[in-house]
Every structure is written in C-alpha cells, then in structure tokens.
Amino acid sequence: MLSYDLAVIGGGPAGMAAALKAREEGIEKIIILERADTLGGILEQCIHTGFGLHYFGEELSGPEYAGRFIKQVYDTDIEVKTDTMVLDISKDNVVTACNNVDGLITIKATAIVLAMGCRERPRGALSIAGSRASGIMTAGTAQKYVNINGYMPGKTVVILGSGDIGLIMARRMTLEGAKVKAVCELMPYSGGLTRNIVQCLEDFGIPLRLSCTVVKTHGKERLEGVTVANVDENLKPIPGTEEYIPCDTLMLSVGLIPENELSKNAGIELDRITNGPSVDEYRETLHKGVFACGNVLQVHDLVDYVTQESQIAGEGAAKYIKGEKKTGEYVKTQGENGVRYIVPQRINRETDKDVKLYFRVGKVFKNVRLSVKCGDEVIMSRNKKKMTPGEMENILIKLDTIKSLPSGSTITVTVEEA
Amino acid sequence: MKYDVAVIGGGVVGALICKELSKYDVKIALVEKCNDVAMGTTKANSAIVHGGFDAMPGTLKAKLNVEGTRIMPSLCGDLNVPYRNNGSLVLAFSDEEVEHIKVLYDRGVKNGVPDLEIISKEKVKELEPNVSDEVKAALLSNSAGIVCPYELTIAAAEVAVTNGVEFIRNCEVKAISEQGGVYELETSTGKIEARYVINAAGNHSDEIAAMIGDDSIELVARKGEYYLLDKSYGSLANHTIFQCPNKMGKGVLVTPTVDGNILIGPSASDENEKDNTDTTPEGLEFVLSKAFKSVPSINIRGAITSFAGVRAHPVTDDFIIGYSDKSDRFINCAGIESPGLSAAPAIARYVESLLIEKLSPEIKKDYAATRKAPVRFRHMNEQQRRELIKKNPAYGRIICRCETITEGEILDAIHAPAGARDVDGVKRRTRAGMGRCQGGFCSSKVVEILAKELGKDMNEITKFGGNSKIIFERTK
Ligand SMILES: Cc1cc2nc3c(=O)[nH]c(=O)nc-3n(C[C@H](O)[C@H](O)[C@H](O)COP(=O)(O)OP(=O)(O)OC[C@H]3O[C@@H](n4cnc5c(N)ncnc54)[C@H](O)[C@@H]3O)c2cc1C
Ligand SMILES: Cc1cc2nc3c(=O)[nH]c(=O)nc-3n(C[C@H](O)[C@H](O)[C@H](O)COP(=O)(O)OP(=O)(O)OC[C@H]3O[C@@H](n4cnc5c(N)ncnc54)[C@H](O)[C@@H]3O)c2cc1C
C-alpha cells in the first residue's frame, strides 16, 4: 500500500487548485488521481472563451485556464497519475484505483479531497416518448465529438434544455455549419448564464422557446425529427400545441448531477438538494479528513468560483493533515423562500476567516431584498436587482458576526420584498 | 454459398436452434437482417422465465414453457449467462382474483409446473414487504426465474459460431425459391442456398412462410412498453410480481433484473406496424399507474430509461412450430410470443429432433457445448483484479465508469465469435453505457475503440447498424 498525506480524486480545476493550495500550505506528499489521459477536467473540451474573468481578470478558453494550473502542478513535486480510475474509498481513507501501468493500487491517505466533477442528466431521466434512433445525445457528449475527436455529431439540431453547455453547443454547431433550429426550455426561464443566451443564441438568431419541451422523437435508425409542445404551469404539455421539427440530432442540456458514487459508497452524507456532500466552511464532509470541492460539491457555472472553493478545501485539508483540531461548535445554514440550498451547510463558530455562503434560487427574482437571519434577528441584508436559477449567488458573513452567533443556532438566507 | 440448413432470424429462438444443431456434422448458416443477434423481440421483453401456469393444458406453449423453464438453469450454467431462480408471485387484490389464482394453480398443476403454492397475505408481505397492503393472497411459483435474454442469445450464437455455424449479418431474406430440392434465399447481400430452412424470424415469420407459399400464419403485433429503474431501487422487489392476467396478456409486472435493476411493464397495445418500438406517453403512463397498484412505493425519479418491444401474437393463441404444410424441408417457429423466451431452450430441442429425424447426421467429436465465462471486472475481488490486470493491462483501463467496464472487456466483446460491431452490441455484451449516465461518458470512447479494432473511421461506426450513424464528417 502506498502512503500519502493528501490524495486528490479528480484532476479538473477543482482537484488541481486544492492540491496546489495544500502544497503552498506546506503539505509534502500529495497525489492527484485522474481518470482521463490529461489533467484539466471538463475544461479540456470547452474551447470557447469565458473562463477566468473573475480569477485572472482576463478572458481565457477552457484549456488555457486549465493549462495555467496544469503547468503549476507539474512545476511542483505533486504526483499525478492520469488514466487512473478511482474505484473505491474505504471508511478509513484508503483509496483503491487502477490503470493499465500500475495495475490495481491502494493508497492510504491522511486526508482526501473529492473533486470528481459532475455528469449530465441522460434522456432516460426525462422519459421522452418515441424511437430509440441514434442522434440523441447529451450536449457534453456532442461537445466531446466536436472539440476532442473533430467530428460533426449532426447537421440539423434541436437542443432541449437551456443549460450553459447546451447554449455553448448551439453556437459551436452553428459555427461549424450546422443548423440549430431551436433551443427548447421546459421552464419559463433559462437555466444558463445571461451572457451565454446573448452571445450564443441571440447573436446567431437561434430561437429560445421557453415553456416548451420535446414530447416525441421520430426516426427508426438515425433521428429524423422531434415533436415539441408548449407546457402549462404544471409543466405538462398542452394538447394542440405540438409542432414537428425535422432534425437529425437532439442534444440534451437538462442538468448536471454531481458525481458522488464514490462518496456514497464511502458512506459520506449528501445534501438532498445539491446532491453533493454536506460540508463545513473548510469543505470538510461529515467523514473526518475527507473534503469536497468543485462540481462534485455543487454544480458551478463559473470555474473561477470552483478555483476559490477548491483553495478553501485545500487549505482545510492542510490544516487537518497538520493536526489542527476543530474545537468550536457548529451553526447550521439553510435557505428559505426560494433560496434552494446553502454551501457550506455548517460553520464552526471558532473559525478563523470570513465565510462566503454560496446558493442558488429556485425561480427568477427581481428587485428583492436578500437577508441573512439568525432566528428573528437580521444579521445582514442586501438589495438585489435580479437573481436567476442559472446563476450561483454568494453573500459574505464577517468573522465577527460568526463568532457572535449563539451556540446551536441556524442562519437562514431568505428572499423578501424590497 | 451452399448450406445444409439456413436458420432465418438471430433471436433467442434462432440462436439456440443453431447452438443445438451445431453439435452435428451439418453446414449451417444463421441469417440475420440486423447488424447483430438479439435485435428483435429478444432484446426488449420482461426477461422472465415463467413457471408455466398461464397457457392452456395441451398446448405447445404450455408444454415447451414448462420444459424450457426446467432446462434454463443448467443451460445458463453451460453458457455462463446470468440467471436467477427468484420465483414469481401473482397477486390477487379481490375475492374474484383469489378465485382466479386458484384457477391458475389448477392449470399449472395440469401443465406439470412444479412447486406452486397459494400463499396468504401475511406470507406475501413477509416475502415482499413493499407489496401493497391491499393484496389478499398470491400464487407463488418457485420454479420461475429471471434471465438476461440478449446475453443468452449472444452466448448461444457464440457457441454456435465456435462450432462452425456461419453467422451472416445485415442479411435480410427477401424471397425464397426452390430448385431440385434446394432452397435459394434471395437476400439483401446475395444468394444463399440451403437444403433445409428454419423460419425463426419473429414478427416477420409470417412473411418468411409466405415466401414459400405458406399463408397459414396470422400474427398480430402487440407492443409492450417498460421503464427501467436505477440499481439503487433494486431492493423494491425480489420475486417477479405479477397481477392477475387479462386477455391482452400477463399484465404489468414489477421485477428485479439479473443485473440488479428494477423493470416495470409491459403495457399491451396492438399495432399496425411490426417494428414500431416507439415508446408513448400513454403506454408509459399506463405502466406506471398499474405498477403502483402492486408496489406503491415505486418512484419514477429512479427511471434511467424506457423502451418497448413487440410480440408476435398468433391469432391461434399457440406457438406454431413444425414442418410447413407446404414443404417437408421448411420448419416454422412462428408466433413465439411470451413465454417464448422461457420456452426457447425447449423449442430448440424440439426443432433439433424434427430435423434429426430427416437428416440423421453424425455428432461432431469436437463439439464444445459451453461458453467460457466472460471477464467481468465489476464482479471481481481485489486479488482477482490485480492478477487480471497483470495478465492484460487493458483490464486496468476503465471505459464505462457507471458500470465499471474495462477496455479489455470491450475488446473481448468485439473479438468474440459473432462479436459486437456497433455501440449497442458492445453495450449488450459488456453493459458499457447501460448505467445511470446511459453512455454520456463512454459512448465516444466505445466508438473510438470499435473504429480502431474494426479498422474503420470513427464516423463509420453506428449505434445499431443500418443508418444509425453517430457522427458525420470531420469538422472544418
Ligand atoms: C461544457 C461546460 C461549459 C462551461 N462553460 C464555462 C464558462 O464559459 N465559464 C466558466 O467560468 N465556467 C464554465 N463552466 C464551468 C466550469 O468549467 C466547471 O464548473 C469546472 O470545470 C468544474 O471543475 P471540477 O474540477 O469540479 O470538475 P471537472 O472539470 O469535471 O473535473 C473533475 C475531474 O475528476 C475526474 N474524475 C471523476 N471521477 C473520477 C474517479 N473516480 N477517478 C479519477 N478521476 C475522476 C474527471 O475525469 C475530471 O477530470 C462550464 C462547464 C461545462 C461542463
Ligand atoms: C413486451 C414483451 C414481453 C415479453 N416478456 C417475456 C417474458 O417475460 N418471458 C418470456 O418467456 N417471453 C417473453 N416475451 C416473449 C419473448 O420475448 C419472445 O418470445 C422471444 O424473444 C421471441 O424470440 P424470437 O427469436 O422468436 O424472435 P426475435 O427475437 O424477434 O428474433 C427474430 C429475428 O429475425 C430477424 N428477421 C426478421 N425478418 C428477417 C428477414 N426477412 N431476414 C433475416 N432476418 C430476419 C429479426 O431481425 C430478429 O433478429 C415477451 C415479449 C414481449 C414483446
């Protein structure tokens, strides 16, 4: 069995940032395990720009953003094993992985950072009626065919779901000469970033149909078309609004699910809403010495926040490895009135820094007041012009405030009329 | 090419017939219109090995079902195909239905079904705690089981091909003529000559029979739709749970699959089109509403996919197996609706006996009746995995993360006798792409591997043959 201070599972932006931060904090024996053949995670296939505006103050492509971190990782003595799949994490922090060079490896690690990212929801989860033709794929799979393999996955395209990957692919396919006929979104609002709607759809004249879904796929072998229909407020298709759109490809961009099979098998408690582990302010899960960051913790839309979050986890892991004990009591966090969840789920009252609470709202809000409360007491509040489900929000809680919270209390983030 | 026997149709029936016949010194072709075996009804059904109490005493259906179910465990052992003797329950929700299961019990006894029992509500709840409290009693059939229908077919085809049967894919029989005691099959890929023809063309067996002027077979295409639930719901049911049958079939069931998922379905609707396996909102809605009646805690959020299959329902309500009235060298296996999968091992032996009477062939000395167990990385312990990867590093590269399928297993599937030629073929043989992400992660890698191993360009690889292209030309 190999032995390390820190084992990082997943070499995307999250894993790399956590490993680098821990290194900076003086942790020596670190290993990153990545199942793809390179570091970089999902960014490797995101060749569009729009990464790093917050973190680097410049607009980079996905591989450029990842590239900066990859270089830093290789400039240190952090060990990297690519093409290596982690199969299991045991209750006592033993990681089992395999690849075709070392075979099966087991690693005993003092601390573990989970950074496995997320996966796309498949068609089955939607149970769209119709044929089982080829040409129905997730937007991420299509992106891989175009950007990594260099092949066109289709010529005439309908996209279901207005998540960011779908929006980005609408533009990508158009630039490659395909005809994107429509982006259909079940909800009355888009799940993607506003800037992507403008730059990827509006600039190319691609219609975004809100409150609309695909009710049937047609074609025996390759897809030949889809039937779309409008939906009512209960999201049920409205009879009589069906329309047939000929197309050879249906791309799905209907949500991302944190990749937590390993976490679940290790018995790590997950949050019902985020589907990621429940963590404290240093992103430590309820399983001692196991930390989580990036899309495996909560689905992010901006990689810059992934990097920030992962640095926090890296720092937390370093403290743990150095044997710093957490003595204080925890206060819980929760969302209310349309605030769907809060990460972190709990905060140690004796923590040493300000804490940012990250969250998403469940519907579009305009001109509202965002408040953080402890019991009936308003700790702080801020006016918000607009909040949408597609954009992750955050709000900072000062260290003084945290220290003054009564023990056993819960802080609630809520939306109120302005 | 000239053969002694041409078997038309690579479903479970055709493949098992080929396996049985491959022990003799005869030249056999398995002729299949699709790019793989198990592409018809065999790939989309409930996968139940029925006890055998549904069919009327004296019918071929009854006889071959009971016999097939008896042979199935040892056959699956020989072929290393997943089979589980989980037993089945027919639930009765009213006094009328309690009477009905008694009728089924008596019929089962007449058919020779072993180990049938009528059990009380308490016993039902003990065996299946998730069954509805409304249940009054149930018929327990201890000999019933579940099997993987496509793996059974694939394994049978592998054994057949290993023993010399030629598997001819993408070969649709379009017409049949006869000259001097030899049939000439006109197919989409050329002419095939055979002295004997076995018609195992599933939903199209009526058309194949008609090609020699036998118009006696009348089939109705009856569609059934299903939901498949994620493995995390696998503990919802242990037995196969039926409701009381009706005139359209055995009703909606809730059953585990051999892979640990839960299957619910089928609906039953008569179709004009034989190959229409489209799912419909009504069909799926129906399945769900009926399944709730048996197991109220079913949660549709667990659905990872839905699909449909089409049965070839014979208007005579019984299997049509035997020499055609028009020829003593042409055997029909038609109208093989449910319990056709259960009966298939017995159908194959029956057809074997019919043919042997006439051909009286020698048995091959080197006949290999078994299939070696395919490598299943996911079922191995640490030590086994370690040794496996040492022997062949390709088993150290995981391609499908949801089901933990290695590159080595995919290579095996492609290079096996009658091996995989497309993405769905790899999926059925290895389970790559069958997990919760449904191939979102691995399908492009599977396409790459197929292209490399088959010496093709990536854009020539299909999902399931024909025009089911996955990608087009190169990007700009
Ligand atoms: C298509 C797309 C477009 C985006 N567009 C933008 C944008 O324009 N601007 C922006 O700022 N952000 C964008 N984002 C968001 C941002 O890039 C992601 O949130 C970020 O990449 C997430 O980083 P991560 O490290 O958590 O996950 P990932 O990048 O997914 O990395 C996780 C890594 O873990 C590995 N892994 C998983 N399981 C295992 C295992 N068992 N063993 C070993 N390794 C494993 C994976 O192979 C992967 O490399 C986009 C995201 C996507 C998907
Ligand atoms: C919804 C449903 C549920 C079922 N559940 C069960 C169950 O639980 N238990 C059970 O025992 N049975 C069940 N059955 C029945 C069982 O699936 C069938 O009896 C069995 O699969 C029939 O196999 P087959 O080989 O006859 O037909 P198929 O599998 O349809 O094979 C016929 C083959 O012939 C090929 N073919 C057709 N025409 C031509 C041509 N012109 N040239 C060349 N090839 C051709 C087709 O491509 C196909 O591969 C169910 C059926 C359905 C539809």
Side-chain angles (χ1 to χ4, degrees):
Chain A
M1 192 175 319
L2 307 170
S3 176
Y4 285 85
D5 294 328
L6 177 61
V8 177
I9 305 176
M16 290 192 289
L20 284 167
K21 185 70 186 177
R23 186 79 196 77
E24 195 185 304
E25 296 288 321
I27 301 306
E28 280 174 1
K29 284 204 77 178
I30 304 178
I31 186 165
I32 302 180
L33 302 164
E34 166 56 54
R35 68 179 170 209
D37 50 12
T38 56
L39 292 176
I42 197 74
L43 293 183
E44 291 301 305
Q45 67 182 64
C46 301
I47 62 170
H48 57 282
T49 59
F51 299 85
L53 272 175
H54 297 259
Y55 189 76
F56 289 115
E58 52 184 315
E59 215 174 335
L60 305 172
S61 73
E64 281 170 349
Y65 186 96
R68 296 199 177 181
F69 288 91
I70 296 175
K71 180 166 182 320
Q72 284 183 49
V73 168
Y74 283 114
D75 283 346
T76 66
D77 56 2
I78 294 173
E79 252 182 84
V80 175
K81 281 194 192 294
T82 52
D83 239 328
T84 302
M85 176 80 131
V86 174
L87 298 170
D88 184 59
I89 303 170
S90 75
K91 300 224 173 346
D92 53 351
N93 293 1
V94 174
V95 175
T96 308
C98 76
N99 64 32
N100 56 9
V101 180
D102 311 290
L104 203 72
I105 41 183
T106 46
I107 295 172
K108 171 86 190 139
T110 310
I112 293 173
V113 170
L114 307 174
M116 290 91 75
C118 61
R119 63 158 180 269
E120 296 172 280
R121 268 176 77 192
R123 168 195 187 164
L126 309 168
S127 48
I128 306 169
S131 66
R132 294 293 167 275
S134 68
I136 304 171
M137 62 191 96
T138 63
T141 302
Q143 189 177 41
K144 210 182 304 168
Y145 282 127
V146 181
N147 293 346
I148 306 283
N149 301 110
Y151 286 94
M152 286 297 278
K155 296 172 180 168
T156 48
V157 184
V158 168
I159 299 179
L160 176 59
S162 59
D164 287 311
I165 314 178
L167 300 176
I168 300 267
M169 281 311 288
R171 175 175 65 186
R172 185 85 186 104
M173 293 300 288
T174 308
L175 291 174
E176 287 292 343
K179 173 87 191 135
V180 178
K181 299 209 168 160
V183 174
C184 300
E185 169 59 59
L186 182 70
M187 305 304 283
Y189 50 81
S190 162
L193 296 172
T194 312
R195 81 166 189 228
N196 282 338
I197 294 174
V198 176
Q199 294 170 4
C200 300
L201 300 187
E202 290 172 10
D203 290 359
F204 293 88
I206 299 168
L208 171 62
R209 297 195 182 188
L210 298 174
S211 298
C212 174
T213 191
V214 172
V215 291
K216 190 163 185 193
T217 56
H218 305 264
K220 278 222 146 28
E221 297 184 337
R222 178 76 192 195
L223 189 72
E224 288 163 15
V226 297
T227 302
V228 302
N230 296 335
V231 298
D232 62 21
E233 54 277 10
N234 299 318
L235 309 180
K236 290 262 175 272
I238 305 170
T241 63
E242 295 87 358
E243 183 191 337
Y244 178 76
I245 307 180
C247 61
D248 61 26
T249 306
L250 174 64
M251 285 185 195
L252 306 174
S253 180
V254 289
L256 300 166
I257 309 171
E259 179 102 17
N260 273 301
E261 273 63 35
L262 287 173
S263 330
K264 270 191 233 165
N265 288 341
I268 293 170
E269 190 180 307
L270 302 186
D271 180 308
R272 254 179 352 97
I273 307 287
T274 59
N275 286 313
S278 165
V279 293
D280 70 9
E281 77 283 5
Y282 273 111
R283 306 304 187 262
E284 185 172 4
T285 67
L286 285 163
H287 189 115
K288 254 189 164 340
V290 179
F291 296 75
C293 55
N295 282 347
V296 80
L297 178 61
Q298 57 175 332
V299 175
H300 291 257
D301 25 69
L302 292 179
V303 69
D304 310 68
Y305 291 148
V306 170
T307 301
Q308 280 171 11
E309 177 171 271
S310 308
Q311 289 170 337
I312 298 173
E315 191 182 338
K319 284 178 187 287
Y320 179 85
I321 295 162
K322 289 183 209 157
E324 286 183 29
K325 293 256 174 321
K326 294 176 184 174
T327 49
E329 284 179 47
Y330 285 91
V331 292
K332 282 196 199 137
T333 63
Q334 67 175 28
E336 224 178 59
N337 282 344
V339 176
R340 293 187 58 231
Y341 69 85
I342 309 283
V343 169
Q345 284 82 354
R346 59 188 194 286
I347 302 172
N348 193 309
R349 282 168 69 220
E350 290 172 19
T351 193
D352 53 358
K353 285 198 187 91
D354 300 345
V355 173
K356 251 188 199 165
L357 303 180
Y358 291 86
F359 61 91
R360 279 179 197 270
V361 290
K363 59 174 197 184
V364 178
F365 287 104
K366 284 186 179 151
N367 300 319
V368 286
R369 193 156 183 79
L370 186 68
S371 301
V372 184
K373 292 181 177 173
C374 182
D376 289 336
E377 186 197 345
V378 177
I379 305 174
M380 58 178 306
S381 67
R382 211 198 297 160
N383 283 339
K384 290 292 264 183
K385 266 224 175 68
K386 192 176 178 192
M387 292 191 289
T388 69
E391 276 165 73
M392 194 200 279
E393 300 282 339
N394 65 66
I395 189 160
L396 187 92
I397 315 277
K398 287 274 187 217
L399 184 60
D400 301 344
T401 316
I402 296 170
K403 291 209 181 290
S404 70
L405 292 169
S407 83
S409 59
T410 297
I411 48 181
T412 307
V413 181
T414 180
V415 181
E416 296 168 331
E417 273 175 43
Chain B
M1 279 299 270
K2 258 200 165 113
Y3 298 89
D4 295 315
V5 184
V7 177
I8 304 175
V12 67
V13 172
L16 279 171
I17 290 174
C18 283
K19 177 203 164 260
E20 293 308 330
L21 295 181
S22 72
K23 63 167 94 67
Y24 299 101
D25 199 10
V26 285
K27 206 161 149 30
I28 304 165
L30 174 57
V31 182
E32 168 55 53
K33 74 173 172 188
C34 296
N35 199 26
D36 201 351
V37 294
M39 288 294 288
T41 307
T42 297
K43 91 174 164 198
N45 55 61
S46 314
I48 309 303
V49 182
H50 292 286
F53 48 78
D54 289 289
M56 287 302 176
T59 57
L60 267 181
K61 255 191 194 172
K63 180 172 158 240
L64 295 172
N65 180 351
V66 175
E67 177 64 6
T69 297
R70 193 182 61 77
I71 311 172
M72 193 67 87
S74 64
L75 175 67
C76 289
D78 285 350
L79 296 180
N80 269 296
V81 167
Y83 162 85
R84 188 148 78 85
N85 176 215
N86 65 326
S88 71
L89 292 170
V90 181
L91 306 182
F93 288 102
S94 64
D95 294 340
E96 205 186 330
E97 291 188 348
V98 172
E99 288 311 307
H100 195 102
I101 59 172
K102 288 184 186 154
V103 172
L104 292 178
Y105 175 91
D106 291 341
R107 200 186 288 162
V109 171
K110 282 204 190 107
N111 288 348
V113 181
D115 299 333
L116 284 175
E117 268 175 75
I118 301 234
I119 59 173
S120 66
K121 172 177 183 162
E122 289 67 38
K123 183 79 192 292
V124 176
K125 294 290 289 185
E126 195 182 301
L127 292 176
E128 294 292 342
N130 296 317
V131 159
S132 162
D133 289 338
E134 305 290 310
V135 70
K136 292 210 141 126
L139 174 63
L140 169 63
S141 175
N142 288 299
S143 65
I146 49 180
V147 67
C148 177
Y150 40 84
E151 191 160 348
L152 175 60
T153 308
I154 288 163
E158 275 187 30
V159 170
V161 169
T162 306
N163 288 304
V165 171
E166 212 171 307
F167 174 48
I168 312 175
R169 337 169 180 245
N170 299 313
C171 183
E172 180 175 0
V173 177
K174 305 216 166 192
I176 304 177
S177 57
E178 196 190 353
Q179 234 164 37
V182 177
Y183 282 112
E184 193 174 282
L185 313 186
E186 198 181 302
T187 78
S188 51
T189 49
K191 288 200 189 328
I192 293 173
E193 287 181 350
R195 289 201 292 140
Y196 286 81
V197 168
I198 297 170
N199 168 15
N203 282 314
H204 298 275
S205 48
D206 52 347
E207 296 157 39
I208 298 289
M211 289 177 193
I212 64 151
D214 178 350
D215 292 321
S216 65
I217 300 169
E218 207 179 318
L219 304 177
V220 181
R222 188 168 282 174
K223 181 154 82 181
E225 302 182 35
Y226 295 90
Y227 271 119
L228 188 76
L229 308 188
D230 188 79
K231 285 182 180 169
S232 53
Y233 294 80
S235 59
L236 272 179
N238 180 33
H239 291 73
T240 298
I241 301 173
F242 295 100
Q243 295 172 2
C244 274
N246 57 43
K247 70 174 194 306
M248 290 294 275
K250 291 187 257 300
V252 170
L253 56 82
V254 176
T255 184
T257 69
V258 285
D259 300 300
N261 299 80
I262 290 282
L263 186 66
I264 63 176
S267 57
S269 58
D270 289 345
E271 297 285 321
N272 298 323
E273 227 188 303
K274 288 177 171 182
D275 297 317
N276 179 353
T277 51
D278 284 8
T279 52
T280 63
E282 305 77 39
L284 292 173
E285 190 78 46
F286 172 83
V287 164
L288 200 56
S289 65
K290 291 286 177 187
F292 276 137
K293 189 175 170 200
S294 300
V295 181
S297 55
I298 278 175
N299 186 342
I300 204 53
R301 285 183 62 185
I304 57 174
T305 188
S306 56
F307 61 86
V310 182
R311 343 163 166 60
H313 172 67
V315 293
T316 55
D317 218 21
D318 198 9
F319 295 160
I320 301 154
I321 305 175
Y323 283 101
S324 162
D325 290 347
K326 299 283 180 206
S327 162
D328 56 1
R329 283 177 297 102
F330 189 101
I331 300 178
N332 283 317
C333 299
I336 313 295
E337 63 173 344
S338 188
L341 170 64
S342 322
I347 296 175
R349 290 194 183 176
Y350 181 48
V351 170
E352 174 190 358
S353 70
L354 290 176
L355 201 72
I356 292 327
E357 266 173 30
K358 303 226 171 148
L359 277 175
S360 349
E362 301 278 317
I363 291 197
K364 282 182 198 153
K365 287 197 187 63
D366 55 352
Y367 172 65
T370 58
R371 180 181 75 143
K372 210 170 93 241
V375 170
R376 294 286 183 249
F377 186 84
R378 64 183 182 279
H379 293 151
M380 292 182 164
N381 64 28
E382 220 179 286
Q383 191 51 35
Q384 292 169 321
R385 287 177 173 182
R386 225 178 267 284
E387 278 159 22
L388 179 70
I389 304 172
K390 211 174 281 164
K391 254 191 270 158
N392 181 352
Y395 293 112
R397 211 171 149 230
I398 309 280
I399 301 296
C400 165
R401 59 167 175 206
C402 300
E403 298 286 316
T404 325
I405 310 300
T406 64
E407 181 170 28
E409 292 164 84
I410 294 174
L411 296 176
D412 291 346
I414 298 170
H415 297 299
R421 291 290 173 275
D422 50 44
V423 173
D424 283 0
V426 167
K427 171 166 130 177
R428 278 193 300 276
R429 284 171 181 77
T430 64
R431 289 190 65 76
M434 281 205 181
R436 27 183 91 90
C437 94
Q438 291 283 301
F441 175 74
C442 66
S443 58
S444 65
K445 292 191 190 175
V446 172
V447 171
E448 271 177 56
I449 297 172
L450 275 164
K452 180 153 168 271
E453 296 304 309
L454 301 176
K456 291 188 170 177
D457 193 277
M458 271 179 78
N459 63 12
E460 291 174 85
I461 303 300
T462 61
K463 187 169 184 304
F464 51 84
N467 185 36
S468 65
K469 291 165 83 64
I470 294 171
I471 47 180
F472 295 86
E473 60 272 16
R474 287 207 156 266
T475 48
K476 292 178 195 164

